[in-house]
Amino acid sequence: MAGPSDQDKLAEDWGLDDIGLPDDGMTEEQRAAAAAAEWAAMIEEAGEGEGGPDRVLNQDEIDSLLGFDASIGSNVELTGVQALINSALVSYERLPMLEIVFDRLVRLATTSLRNFTSDNVEVTMDSISSVRFGDYLNSIPLPAILSVIKAEEWENYGLLTVDSSLIYSMIDVLLGGRRIGGNIRVEGRPYTTIEMALARKMIEIILEDTHRAFEPVTDVNFKLERMETNPRFAAISRPGNAAILIELRIEMDDRGGKIEILLPYATIEPIREQLLQMFMGEKFGRDPIWEGHLATEIYSANVEIEAVLHEQELPLSRMLGIKPGDTVMFERTPSDPVRLRCGDVELTEAIMGHIGNHVSVRVTRPLNPPKVTMAAFEAIDEKMEGR
């Protein structure tokens, strides 16, 4: 432990004698207390202000920085670190053809619902966005009807959600209810049998229009599997899986609501290439310029031709016993035809001869017809497009 002389030397080295401590008969303990108070005052002055580098954050500021707030709902946009974590959702490429398909659905549904309700119906598309399946289920305002739909040709499922405002508005229109201005009051009771039946009819009309909207791209039928009112019973995918959400708004004069169609990316994966097109039929037709260029390059390519005199099978023991000077007899005569091959493909037959000092062959019959024709490739393309 340092003595008094050592402590004085340390105080001199650290400049403690220059910080204004009183020296009028104070004891060592009093001087130590005064030095500590002086240091605390200096630290407090350094940390004053909002931008102080040593300022300690309180709990509210820490929660705000991290994006955690127990007082907000689950459907509020997140901030802070949670927003960064949520942005890790896989960024899929845009699907231009999908936007065209649902624009077509808007036009078809407008006509179909006008015929169904005999009222002035306007269908508009609010947005197309990518969401996590679990986040979407947690954001559905209840009560609502969740329809599990199956894309039969794709062998996968999707969701079609109808909110209560649209259900009650549609029921009022179909059953001759009075026109009520503003939003219809949403009751907390379960849906009745009549309400479920009318909602099912409307959903089937939307699914038929969706089938017609996809028809130029691919032939797919959407079948209504079941209708649920509890989101837990409508889980068709893992909570973390990515899905595409299409929001359609249906207005009937001063009443209406919203329909949401959720398609997991695994569901639309079979037609991903078609949905990447910029316009209808972009990749379906042939390109004669490219075909001509490809044919020219193929015709100018160099290939190796082999003239096979004869082939025969020998026992392995005889092959291992062959020595220089042994003779292998070919059961052929000079006038027998030889086979011309390119790789493993047999092309035709020829007669062997010579021109000057070079061995030559003369083709004696036309080329063998190819086993694989363009018709086979076209059949494969039609089969892939029909999936």
Side-chain angles (χ1 to χ4, degrees):
M1 187 174 178
S5 60
D6 295 334
Q7 291 179 2
D8 294 339
K9 187 174 185 305
L10 287 173
E12 183 180 355
D13 293 341
W14 284 92
L16 294 179
D17 293 335
D18 300 330
I19 59 175
L21 296 179
D23 195 15
D24 48 350
M26 296 180 64
T27 64
E28 291 295 334
E29 295 177 356
Q30 292 174 338
R31 293 187 61 186
E38 187 68 23
W39 275 105
M42 293 173 60
I43 293 174
E44 186 177 355
E45 291 178 2
E48 285 182 354
E50 293 295 329
D54 298 326
R55 187 171 64 88
V56 179
L57 299 178
N58 57 32
Q59 188 61 43
D60 293 337
E61 293 171 328
I62 294 174
D63 291 342
S64 176
L65 176 63
L66 297 179
F68 297 104
D69 192 350
S71 63
I72 62 175
S74 60
N75 56 348
V76 178
E77 184 177 356
L78 300 175
T79 59
V81 176
Q82 276 200 342
L84 294 176
I85 296 174
N86 249 13
S87 66
L89 179 63
V90 180
S91 178
Y92 285 83
E93 65 265 80
R94 289 191 59 200
L95 303 173
M97 186 54 60
L98 195 64
E99 299 179 8
I100 297 176
V101 167
F102 282 102
D103 280 337
R104 178 180 168 88
L105 173 62
V106 166
R107 296 192 298 269
L108 294 173
T110 300
T111 303
S112 299
L113 292 179
R114 283 179 180 176
N115 296 333
F116 177 58
T117 60
S118 300
D119 201 348
N120 185 22
V121 180
E122 292 293 336
V123 182
T124 57
M125 183 168 62
D126 281 356
S127 64
I128 297 181
S129 58
S130 295
V131 295
R132 281 195 181 97
F133 183 76
D135 294 341
Y136 171 72
L137 286 186
N138 295 332
S139 66
I140 296 176
L142 298 178
I145 291 181
L146 290 82
S147 305
V148 177
I149 59 177
K150 181 179 181 181
E152 295 181 338
E153 282 74 11
W154 301 339
E155 298 181 354
N156 220 320
Y157 295 89
L159 277 184
L160 190 148
T161 305
V162 185
D163 65 356
S164 292
S165 298
L166 180 59
I167 294 173
Y168 292 135
S169 299
M170 190 65 64
I171 291 170
D172 277 349
V173 170
L174 294 176
L175 300 183
R178 294 178 300 172
R179 298 181 181 275
I180 303 174
N183 295 328
I184 297 178
R185 181 174 60 88
V186 178
E187 302 179 9
R189 58 173 176 79
Y191 296 105
T192 64
T193 305
I194 295 178
E195 292 170 346
M196 294 291 286
L198 294 177
R200 173 182 287 271
K201 181 61 178 176
M202 180 186 66
I203 291 170
E204 289 175 348
I205 291 174
I206 297 295
L207 293 182
E208 177 61 26
D209 290 338
T210 307
H211 159 69
R212 293 166 56 195
F214 274 98
E215 205 167 16
V217 178
T218 183
D219 188 16
V220 57
N221 293 298
F222 294 95
K223 177 184 176 183
L224 179 59
E225 285 281 307
R226 64 185 187 273
M227 298 169 62
E228 303 287 352
T229 56
N230 191 334
R232 292 184 299 172
F233 300 145
I236 60 172
S237 180
R238 294 182 179 180
N241 288 358
I244 190 162
L245 177 65
I246 302 94
E247 299 182 6
L248 302 177
R249 181 164 297 278
I250 299 177
E251 298 289 344
M252 295 169 286
D253 292 335
D254 52 355
R255 51 190 169 182
K258 193 164 61 171
I259 285 180
E260 296 176 341
I261 300 175
L262 184 84
L263 297 175
Y265 275 96
T267 300
I268 60 177
E269 184 65 25
I271 60 166
R272 175 177 166 274
E273 292 185 1
Q274 288 93 326
L275 296 179
L276 287 173
Q277 299 175 110
M278 294 298 296
F279 52 87
M280 205 75 71
E282 179 182 354
K283 296 183 180 179
F284 295 149
R286 291 184 175 179
D287 187 350
I289 299 176
W290 172 250
E291 287 184 354
H293 175 69
L294 181 61
T296 302
E297 294 297 322
I298 290 177
Y299 289 152
S300 61
N302 295 323
V303 294
E304 293 184 359
I305 302 296
E306 297 177 348
V308 182
L309 299 179
H310 182 60
E311 290 180 334
Q312 65 178 357
E313 295 182 0
L314 296 175
L316 182 59
S317 59
R318 185 179 174 186
M319 288 296 300
L320 294 176
I322 290 180
K323 299 185 296 292
D326 291 349
T327 302
V328 178
M329 298 298 296
F330 283 175
E331 298 176 358
R332 312 289 287 179
T333 64
S335 60
D336 288 339
V338 298
R339 286 174 294 177
L340 297 183
R341 290 193 312 197
C342 178
D344 295 332
V345 180
E346 187 172 332
L347 300 177
T348 184
E349 292 181 352
I351 300 296
M352 187 172 63
H354 66 89
I355 298 177
N357 296 328
H358 300 282
V359 179
S360 63
V361 293
R362 184 180 67 217
V363 177
T364 58
R365 63 177 177 80
L367 296 175
N368 297 332
K371 295 181 180 180
V372 180
T373 62
M374 285 299 297
F377 292 103
E378 292 174 355
I380 293 174
D381 291 341
E382 292 177 359
K383 184 178 179 180
M384 295 298 294
E385 292 174 3
R387 287 185 179 177

